[in-house]
Amino acid sequence: MEGKITKIVLKNFITYDYCEFNPGPGLNMIIGPNGSGKSSIVCGIGLGLGGSLQYLGRAKNISDYIKHGEDRAMIEISLSRKRGGRLSNVTIQRTFKRNDNKTNWKINGQSKTQKEVLSLIDSFNIQINNLCQFLPQEKVSEFAQMSSTELLNATLQAIGNNSLNKQYKELIENQEQRNALQTELKRNEDLLSKLKFQNDGIEKEVSRYKERETILRDVKVMEVLVPYVKYREKTNEWKELRKSVKDYKKNVEDLIDEMNKLIKDKDDKEKRIQEALKYKEDLDKEYYEYTKESNKISEELEKLEENNSLILMNFLQYKENKRKLNEEIKDQERIIDELKNKINDKKRLLIEQGVINENGVDIYNNNDNITTEIGNIQYKLGKEREKKLDIDTKMRSLYNDRNEIKHERNSLNEKIENLQNKKNNLDDMTKQRLNLLNHYNSHAYEANEWLKSHRSLFKMNVFSPVAIEINTNNKEEAAVVENTIGSSLYMFVTLCKEDYEVFTNELIDKKKLRISVVMFNNLKLSDFKAPIPKEELKKYGFDCYVLDLIQGPTEILNVLCKINKIHLIPYSKREINANTFDNNSILKKYIINDIEYTKNIRYNLLSIRTRKLKEANILSFNDSTAQKNEIEKEIQENEQKKESNNVLKERRTEILNEKKEYNKLSTQYEIKLIEYNLSIMSRSSQLSTFDHEKEKFQNEYNENLKIRENLLTQYLKYKNKSLEKFNQKTNVVIKNMQDEINISNIENKIQVQRKKIKENKEECAKMEDKRNHVKQEAIKTYNEIELLKSSDQEILKLAIIKANEFDTLDEVNQKFADVKLNLEMISEISVSIVNDFEKREKEIMKLGAEIKRTKEKIINHDKKIKQNEKSFIPKIKDIINKLNEKFSESFEKIGCVGEIKLDEKSEYKNWGLNIYVKFRDTDNLQLLTGTRQSGGERSVSTILFLMSLQSFSGSPFRVVDEINQGMDSSNERLIHDQLIESASKEGTSQYFLVTPKLLPDLSYNSKMKVFCIFNGKWHNLEKHVNIKKIDFKSYINRKRKEKSEQNEDLQAHKRIHI
């Protein structure tokens, strides 16, 4: 607890030349005979900590506390306080002189004002002027004489609950202000009723008076209003006429300007017509030339078309000749078919005769005569039979391989079954990762299960949590990835806005799941560039970036780069020197082995924060998907091998069929070869002649087409130019016709404009005459108004304002007549009656406003009182009840009865605290006063009350001077035991008990200190006379030894007795 006294120094203070001692934090007993200076120490504590002289009650002047014969005195007190979590001391020094009664204050050796010192003391909740904390000898008797209100205030101050004290003061202040306001409200309400009663009796007469005054004022206003409205009408009429004249003049000017524009437009169009006629003549000449050239080319094209027609007729004749030749070839083909049948019959006959064997090989194969037609055919048939033998050899090889393929297929089936078992095991690992997801983030797990069964709701792919979608190679890399991306492990990724809205609406809005969902589209992994190329990164000792440790969908990697910047964080799986990168501005964060380094530069100072990576929780099961993919790939490869064996089996069957088909095709080939040789001999000469003629016709026709194309180009060129000139000429003629029509219209408009100008000039002259007449009438009316200006200015202002209510002078005259009639109908009333009425009305309004404000203030005070009561009353009652429990318990320990009761009155300022005590069984509980109980009973009650207050008080220490005087020995011993028990508890206040005597064999505690004052004229005798100084330590040790020996003798005596 801050504020405990750790050291006291007194110099030239009352009886002391110099005194210095260090109190303990618990109970400090100061013992000494009367006159030795015990109470001087109490006064030193009180004055050194800003206590008032009147409160101590020993002297009126500070100089009276200076030792006799000295000019100045000094008090120095050190208090404990906490600085930076550690206890330290603050020293307060007070020095005062005899001649001027002035005090100099210092804190830790620096001069300070008394206000600054008292502020420091108040911060420790030290209350020297409170009897519940500081009870000097002269004030012991006053404690029991305190009124209940004084005791309650002192108790609240001693407790040190600033909030409670503030609420109590606010309650008293608000209650007093409310009472004052209620008194004021009653007085004002009585006065208001009296004034209203007086005015109610004459209110009708005053109303008639005011009505007559109003009519009189209206009469005066109307007298001014008539000429004013008349002047306004004339002025407005004059302004309208002036505007009309101006408008007519403006119209004349506009009409003249418009007519001049028409004349100019007419001249421009006539000039343009002349220029267009000249231009048309030039176009006619050009048009004639271009038409002449185009007609000439047209004649040449007609001649060329006749030549092309002749060529085409010749070509058609040659085409007819070709058709006839083809018919002849078809006749030849029929003859070949008949020959083919004869060849087949001949082959069967040759086999029966033994010319060829069963394999189709010519028995006369050694004959060199293969140049003949049949020899050629037999030679080629022999080659085809050799090919057939090769196919048979391959078939036998396939038969041999079939068993091997069957054995291999069985082996593949067994291998596929083993791989399928591995895949099922890896599926179990995926389930383990899902179980971990459920353990660490149950909301993300629930959302993922929902997603599995509702994927049809989404337009694009919605990814499961990142922890499910990605993998790493080992546990070390898994730890790096988990520590880097953090909470992103549980993040869902969507690829379009519609899916994002459906997902968040279903799971976050409806199911109230706390999950993380992001939406990114158009992200590319190539957009996230590494700050240092991987080849150069390895020179620094790094293996890769964190991005390279992750296997997963590209969309997931894009999002992790965007959010967690994994493409910027290098990683080394082995130890390297991290100090190398301190000055590298590119690398802001990097990971070496299992340590993460983060650099931060602020105010040009570099700081590096390191963090040891935690082990992976979810991604430790990170090989499942990669292995699963490899196994599935291997299964597919074995299935393909198995399928390949089936293909080979089917191939064998196809080759058998192919052999049969070959035999058939070999025969067909033999026939086709004969057909080719026969037909080529019959057509070659005739076709060559036809192709030559066809080429000749084609070349000649193509040459004519080229000439025709050139002529058409020239013809189109001249034709387009002639058409262009014709269109230009047509446009010129059309424009001329339009301009001629426009000129006629313009001439008509000019005539109309001249007529309008004449009419406007005539009307303008009439308006000017009328305007001058109205002006004269307005001037005459204005002069009448000038004469009225010398009258009441307020009437004039009212007339001007009221003029806005009338549109015409006739309305004003009618209103004036009505006002005069109303005036004649009301009689006159005394002015004094009206003045008294109005004076009381003002007082009534003022009092009404004052009463309203007072009621609002009373309501506000009531609200504040009720608001404070809700908090203050339960708190104060709770404190008093607990204090009463402590007080009653203390009295019970000495065989007596004591109670503390809160005296609640209607006014908070009269609330009090009563102490009731009973020291004898025959007595009733009685209020503690300064006269009813004996001095010893008052002392017991006082000390037990202060002890009960010990556990509630926020005061750092408590001082009681000679409180045990007048107690009997029994009570003094019991009080002493309770005092030691209370003051020795941890966290309790420091206690100073000053007494001239103590009973023998009192209880002692190691947490208490006993100070024996040895003061007087013999105090420093050893300095002058050779007297041996008392060795208190040796004395205490000797006494302890003697007591121990006595205990041993007593134990031995007990054993002998047994």
Side-chain angles (χ1 to χ4, degrees):
M1 182 182 291
E2 292 186 317
K4 291 186 177 182
I5 298 174
T6 59
K7 183 179 180 181
I8 300 174
V9 178
L10 304 174
K11 186 175 181 182
N12 297 331
F13 186 75
I14 308 179
T15 61
Y16 292 103
D17 291 330
Y18 183 83
C19 173
E20 177 181 343
F21 68 99
N22 299 93
L27 177 62
N28 295 277
M29 301 191 71
I30 301 175
I31 307 172
N34 290 330
S36 60
K38 303 185 301 301
S39 297
S40 298
I41 292 176
V42 175
C43 292
I45 294 172
L47 294 175
L49 295 177
S52 66
L53 295 172
Q54 293 81 358
Y55 182 75
L56 294 176
R58 292 189 61 163
K60 294 182 179 180
N61 298 318
I62 189 68
S63 60
D64 294 337
Y65 289 89
I66 301 175
K67 187 177 181 181
H68 183 69
E70 300 294 337
D71 293 331
R72 65 173 63 195
M74 185 271 291
I75 304 170
E76 185 177 280
I77 298 177
S78 297
L79 303 175
S80 65
R81 70 172 175 183
K82 285 186 178 181
R83 282 291 180 86
R86 299 179 61 184
L87 283 175
S88 61
N89 290 332
V90 57
T91 301
I92 300 173
Q93 187 185 89
R94 183 176 186 175
T95 305
F96 44 92
K97 299 179 181 178
R98 186 183 296 279
N99 55 359
D100 56 6
N101 279 328
K102 290 184 178 180
T103 295
N104 293 324
W105 294 91
K106 290 184 179 179
I107 298 176
N108 290 336
Q110 296 183 356
S111 296
K112 301 290 182 180
T113 64
Q114 184 175 0
K115 184 177 180 181
E116 292 174 323
V117 173
L118 293 178
S119 176
L120 175 63
I121 293 168
D122 288 341
S123 69
F124 293 121
N125 199 28
I126 296 173
Q127 306 165 26
I128 296 299
N129 297 331
N130 189 342
L131 291 178
C132 292
Q133 180 179 350
F134 194 85
L135 190 62
Q137 182 180 353
E138 289 75 10
K139 297 289 183 178
V140 171
S141 60
E142 292 183 11
F143 183 86
Q145 297 174 0
M146 292 172 66
S147 67
S148 63
T149 301
E150 291 174 339
L151 181 59
L152 177 61
N153 290 328
T155 302
L156 291 176
Q157 291 292 329
I159 290 173
N161 190 329
N162 295 330
S163 174
L164 196 65
N165 285 328
K166 182 180 178 182
Q167 286 180 335
Y168 186 46
K169 289 178 181 178
E170 288 177 354
L171 280 170
I172 294 173
E173 181 180 350
N174 284 322
Q175 202 171 50
E176 289 177 347
Q177 290 177 358
R178 183 191 62 184
N179 294 339
L181 289 170
Q182 285 177 337
T183 302
E184 181 184 351
L185 177 64
K186 180 68 170 60
R187 184 177 64 252
N188 288 337
E189 286 178 342
D190 292 342
L191 180 58
L192 180 63
S193 297
K194 181 180 177 181
L195 294 174
K196 285 184 176 180
F197 178 76
Q198 291 175 348
N199 271 12
D200 288 343
I202 60 172
E203 185 175 4
K204 291 182 179 181
E205 294 182 10
V206 172
S207 297
R208 288 198 302 272
Y209 174 82
K210 289 182 177 180
E211 186 179 357
R212 180 177 173 79
E213 287 296 313
T214 301
I215 294 172
L216 284 172
R217 185 194 61 187
D218 290 344
V219 170
K220 294 178 180 179
V221 170
M222 297 305 294
E223 289 175 348
V224 177
L225 186 60
V226 170
Y228 183 82
V229 172
K230 183 178 179 181
Y231 174 74
R232 185 186 67 184
E233 279 191 353
K234 295 300 178 183
T235 303
N236 292 336
E237 186 179 359
W238 179 81
K239 288 180 180 179
E240 290 176 0
L241 291 170
R242 183 183 64 177
K243 183 177 180 301
S244 297
V245 171
K246 186 176 179 181
D247 291 342
Y248 276 115
K249 289 183 178 180
K250 180 70 170 55
N251 286 340
V252 170
E253 293 175 359
D254 293 341
L255 289 169
I256 292 172
D257 291 339
E258 189 175 350
M259 185 179 68
N260 291 333
K261 290 179 181 178
L262 291 171
I263 292 172
K264 184 177 181 302
D265 191 18
K266 175 189 172 186
D267 295 339
D268 292 340
K269 283 181 170 52
E270 289 176 346
K271 182 178 179 181
R272 191 166 60 195
I273 289 172
Q274 295 300 323
E275 293 174 352
L277 290 173
K278 184 178 180 182
Y279 179 58
K280 179 177 174 297
E281 293 177 358
D282 296 335
L283 290 174
D284 287 338
K285 293 178 181 178
E286 292 179 2
Y287 175 75
Y288 175 75
E289 293 295 330
Y290 289 135
T291 304
K292 181 180 178 182
E293 290 295 328
S294 63
N295 292 334
K296 182 179 178 181
I297 294 172
S298 178
E299 293 175 357
E300 294 180 3
L301 283 171
E302 290 176 358
K303 293 179 181 179
L304 188 62
E305 286 296 331
E306 292 177 358
N307 190 19
N308 282 342
S309 297
L310 182 60
I311 293 171
L312 184 59
M313 289 176 65
N314 292 332
F315 177 74
L316 292 174
Q317 182 64 41
Y318 278 101
K319 190 174 181 181
E320 178 66 19
N321 293 336
K322 179 181 177 183
R323 184 185 64 78
K324 292 179 180 180
L325 179 61
N326 286 331
E327 289 179 355
E328 293 176 0
I329 291 173
K330 288 180 181 180
D331 294 338
Q332 189 67 35
E333 286 176 351
R334 284 193 302 273
I335 297 172
I336 292 172
D337 291 337
E338 294 174 358
L339 179 63
K340 182 166 50 177
N341 294 328
K342 293 179 182 180
I343 290 173
N344 289 333
D345 295 338
K346 185 68 174 177
K347 182 178 180 181
R348 286 192 297 271
L349 181 63
L350 289 175
I351 292 172
E352 292 174 356
Q353 294 176 353
V355 178
I356 58 176
N357 59 19
E358 294 294 333
N359 294 325
V361 179
D362 190 359
I363 296 175
Y364 303 102
N365 196 31
N366 292 328
N367 195 345
D368 294 332
N369 187 18
I370 61 171
T371 58
T372 63
E373 188 80 19
I374 297 175
N376 270 328
I377 294 171
Q378 290 177 347
Y379 174 77
K380 291 179 180 180
L381 287 173
K383 291 294 183 181
E384 292 299 326
R385 291 188 185 97
E386 290 177 4
K387 290 181 182 180
K388 177 182 176 185
L389 291 175
D390 289 338
I391 292 173
D392 290 337
T393 303
K394 290 179 182 179
M395 286 296 299
R396 284 192 297 273
S397 176
L398 287 174
Y399 280 121
N400 294 331
D401 292 340
R402 183 176 61 178
N403 293 330
E404 294 180 5
I405 291 171
K406 183 177 182 181
H407 176 73
E408 184 179 357
R409 183 172 60 186
N410 294 333
S411 175
L412 287 174
N413 287 332
E414 183 179 355
K415 191 172 183 181
I416 289 170
E417 183 178 358
N418 292 333
L419 291 174
Q420 194 67 41
N421 292 333
K422 287 185 179 181
K423 179 183 175 184
N424 294 333
N425 292 334
L426 291 178
D427 288 336
D428 293 338
M429 295 178 70
T430 302
K431 292 179 182 178
Q432 291 178 14
R433 186 178 290 187
L434 287 171
N435 291 334
L436 287 173
L437 177 65
N438 188 24
H439 175 72
Y440 289 105
N441 194 324
S442 60
H443 285 217
Y445 175 82
E446 184 179 345
N448 187 56
E449 292 300 310
W450 181 90
L451 178 61
K452 288 179 181 178
S453 58
H454 295 83
R455 287 195 176 273
S456 60
L457 297 177
F458 302 102
K459 294 174 60 177
M460 301 179 70
N461 188 19
V462 176
F463 290 94
S464 295
V466 173
I468 306 301
E469 297 287 352
I470 65 173
N471 287 289
T472 57
N473 294 323
N474 51 55
K475 292 185 177 180
E476 291 77 12
E477 293 181 1
V480 172
V481 174
E482 276 199 23
N483 282 270
T484 302
I485 67 177
S487 60
S488 296
L489 273 172
Y490 312 113
M491 177 174 63
F492 291 83
V493 178
T494 63
L495 301 180
C496 67
K497 184 177 180 182
E498 293 82 357
D499 291 351
Y500 175 83
E501 291 176 350
V502 172
F503 194 81
T504 54
N505 182 57
E506 291 292 334
L507 297 175
I508 297 178
D509 298 339
K510 294 183 180 179
K511 292 183 175 293
K512 307 299 181 183
L513 296 182
R514 295 189 296 275
I515 57 174
S516 174
V517 187
V518 297
M519 188 279 290
F520 289 101
N521 54 11
N522 298 327
L523 287 181
K524 296 180 181 178
L525 203 57
S526 59
D527 295 336
F528 301 100
K529 303 294 184 183
I532 300 175
K534 292 182 183 178
E535 294 75 11
E536 186 178 346
L537 187 69
K538 291 181 180 179
K539 296 179 182 178
Y540 290 100
F542 289 106
D543 298 305
C544 59
Y545 289 97
V546 175
L547 171 62
D548 302 320
L549 303 179
I550 304 173
Q551 298 95 41
T554 305
E555 294 84 349
I556 298 294
L557 299 181
N558 289 337
V559 172
L560 294 178
C561 289
K562 183 72 174 178
I563 296 176
N564 300 106
K565 313 299 181 186
I566 58 175
H567 63 293
L568 303 178
I569 306 174
Y571 166 66
S572 173
K573 60 186 175 183
R574 58 188 178 281
E575 289 291 340
I576 59 176
N577 186 7
N579 298 331
T580 309
F581 315 109
D582 289 353
N583 297 324
N584 191 320
S585 60
I586 299 176
L587 301 180
K588 304 295 184 182
K589 181 186 287 187
Y590 44 88
I591 299 172
I592 299 175
N593 199 356
D594 59 347
I595 303 297
E596 179 187 79
Y597 297 81
T598 305
K599 294 193 294 184
N600 187 21
I601 299 176
R602 182 176 293 179
Y603 308 115
N604 295 327
L605 296 176
L606 174 66
S607 64
I608 300 177
R609 180 171 60 86
T610 61
R611 177 171 70 95
K612 184 174 178 63
L613 302 182
K614 298 178 182 178
E615 292 184 357
N617 293 323
I618 297 180
L619 295 182
S620 57
F621 294 90
N622 58 355
D623 295 328
S624 61
T625 303
Q627 293 182 14
K628 183 177 177 181
N629 293 335
E630 291 294 330
I631 289 171
E632 287 181 348
K633 183 177 180 182
E634 192 170 350
I635 289 172
Q636 291 177 359
E637 290 175 355
N638 284 283
E639 290 287 355
Q640 289 175 358
K641 289 180 180 179
K642 187 176 176 182
E643 183 67 25
S644 176
N645 290 336
N646 294 331
V647 171
L648 290 173
K649 184 177 179 181
E650 293 175 358
R651 180 60 179 163
R652 174 179 171 274
T653 304
E654 290 176 359
I655 291 174
L656 291 173
N657 294 329
E658 185 179 340
K659 181 181 179 183
K660 295 177 181 178
E661 184 68 20
Y662 172 76
N663 292 331
K664 182 179 179 181
L665 291 175
S666 61
T667 304
Q668 293 177 355
Y669 171 78
E670 188 176 331
I671 296 169
K672 287 182 180 180
L673 184 61
I674 294 171
E675 290 174 352
Y676 171 76
N677 289 327
L678 294 174
S679 62
I680 200 68
M681 289 185 295
S682 64
R683 292 191 304 169
S684 58
S685 60
Q686 295 179 9
L687 289 175
S688 61
T689 303
F690 175 77
D691 290 339
H692 176 72
E693 292 296 332
K694 178 181 177 182
E695 183 178 357
K696 178 181 176 183
F697 291 138
Q698 190 69 45
N699 291 337
E700 187 176 355
Y701 187 78
N702 289 339
E703 185 66 26
N704 286 341
L705 287 177
K706 290 180 181 179
I707 296 171
R708 180 176 178 274
E709 183 178 358
N710 291 333
L711 290 174
L712 282 173
T713 302
Q714 293 180 15
Y715 175 80
L716 290 173
K717 176 182 176 183
Y718 288 115
K719 202 67 178 174
N720 288 334
K721 286 185 178 181
S722 63
L723 181 61
E724 179 183 351
K725 296 304 177 181
F726 178 80
N727 290 334
Q728 291 176 359
K729 184 175 67 170
T730 303
N731 290 333
V732 170
V733 172
I734 292 171
K735 286 182 180 179
N736 284 347
M737 292 174 64
Q738 290 175 346
D739 287 340
E740 289 174 353
I741 294 170
N742 290 334
I743 288 171
S744 177
N745 292 333
I746 290 171
E747 289 176 347
N748 294 331
K749 289 180 181 180
I750 290 172
Q751 295 299 325
V752 172
Q753 292 297 105
R754 285 173 178 166
K755 183 178 180 181
K756 287 182 179 180
I757 290 170
K758 182 179 178 182
E759 292 174 351
N760 275 273
K761 285 181 178 180
E762 291 173 352
E763 287 296 327
C764 183
K766 292 178 182 179
M767 288 293 176
E768 284 182 340
D769 293 339
K770 189 175 180 180
R771 181 190 63 182
N772 292 333
H773 177 72
V774 172
K775 183 178 180 182
Q776 294 301 321
E777 291 183 357
I779 292 172
K780 181 179 178 181
T781 308
Y782 178 78
N783 292 333
E784 294 177 7
I785 294 172
E786 286 295 320
L787 293 174
L788 295 172
K789 283 186 177 180
S790 59
S791 60
D792 191 350
Q793 291 295 317
E794 185 179 356
I795 296 298
L796 184 61
K797 291 179 181 178
L798 289 173
I800 294 172
I801 294 171
K802 202 170 184 63
N804 296 324
E805 299 177 6
F806 302 97
D807 295 329
T808 63
L809 184 60
D810 293 336
E811 293 178 359
V812 175
N813 290 330
Q814 181 62 39
K815 182 67 176 176
F816 196 6
D818 294 340
V819 170
K820 287 179 180 179
L821 181 61
N822 291 334
L823 181 63
E824 293 174 356
M825 296 172 65
I826 301 175
S827 59
E828 294 186 8
I829 302 172
S830 175
V831 178
S832 60
I833 296 175
V834 177
N835 291 337
D836 293 340
F837 178 86
E838 291 178 347
K839 183 178 179 181
R840 284 191 292 269
E841 276 296 313
K842 290 180 180 178
E843 292 181 7
I844 288 170
M845 292 179 63
K846 184 178 179 181
L847 282 173
E850 185 65 29
I851 288 170
K852 183 179 179 182
R853 287 194 295 271
T854 304
K855 288 181 178 179
E856 290 175 353
K857 289 179 181 178
I858 290 173
I859 292 171
N860 289 334
H861 283 296
D862 287 337
K863 287 181 180 178
K864 291 179 181 178
I865 289 170
K866 289 180 180 179
Q867 186 176 359
N868 280 336
E869 284 176 344
K870 289 180 181 178
S871 176
F872 172 76
I873 293 176
K875 287 181 181 177
I876 188 66
K877 286 185 177 180
D878 182 61
I879 291 172
I880 299 304
N881 290 335
K882 291 180 180 177
L883 184 61
N884 177 54
E885 290 176 4
K886 292 281 185 182
F887 186 71
S888 299
E889 183 181 345
S890 299
F891 259 80
E892 187 177 350
K893 288 180 180 179
I894 63 173
C896 302
V897 178
E899 287 185 4
I900 299 173
K901 293 183 180 180
L902 182 66
D903 187 11
E904 300 180 38
K905 302 290 181 61
S906 59
E907 298 290 332
Y908 284 106
K909 65 181 179 181
N910 297 328
W911 275 35
L913 192 66
N914 292 327
I915 300 175
Y916 295 91
V917 295
K918 184 177 78 168
F919 289 92
R920 286 167 289 278
D921 293 336
T922 57
D923 294 340
N924 295 323
L925 279 170
Q926 295 180 339
L927 182 68
L928 179 66
T929 65
T931 57
R932 184 172 296 170
Q933 288 80 15
S934 65
E937 290 173 344
R938 290 197 300 271
S939 297
V940 169
S941 301
T942 302
I943 191 65
L944 289 179
F945 179 79
L946 295 179
M947 287 168 56
S948 301
L949 199 60
Q950 183 83 357
S951 60
F952 297 95
S953 175
S955 304
F957 65 85
R958 189 168 275 106
V959 177
V960 181
D961 189 4
E962 296 192 13
I963 192 65
N964 59 341
Q965 298 304 304
M967 293 185 190
D968 57 43
S969 60
S970 176
N971 283 340
E972 185 176 353
R973 191 176 298 280
L974 292 172
I975 296 299
H976 179 81
D977 290 343
Q978 290 193 44
L979 185 61
I980 290 176
E981 180 185 356
S982 175
S984 300
K985 293 180 180 178
E986 289 294 333
T988 190
S989 303
Q990 191 180 31
Y991 220 102
F992 291 90
L993 181 63
V994 180
T995 180
K997 67 177 182 66
L998 284 176
L999 297 173
D1001 296 328
L1002 292 173
S1003 299
Y1004 177 77
N1005 189 299
S1006 60
K1007 294 183 180 180
M1008 64 182 287
K1009 269 191 175 184
V1010 180
F1011 296 92
C1012 297
I1013 297 179
F1014 181 60
N1015 193 17
K1017 62 181 181 178
W1018 305 107
H1019 178 60
N1020 293 325
L1021 184 63
E1022 67 273 10
K1023 293 183 180 179
H1024 307 287
V1025 183
N1026 188 14
I1027 298 175
K1028 186 177 180 181
K1029 189 174 181 179
I1030 297 174
D1031 188 352
F1032 287 99
K1033 187 174 183 180
S1034 298
Y1035 173 78
I1036 292 170
N1037 291 334
R1038 187 169 65 254
K1039 287 295 182 182
R1040 285 177 176 172
K1041 185 177 180 182
E1042 290 176 358
K1043 189 172 183 180
S1044 176
E1045 290 174 354
Q1046 291 175 359
N1047 291 335
E1048 290 176 358
D1049 292 341
L1050 181 62
Q1051 292 295 328
H1053 176 73
K1054 287 182 178 180
R1055 285 194 296 271
I1056 292 170
H1057 180 72
I1058 292 171

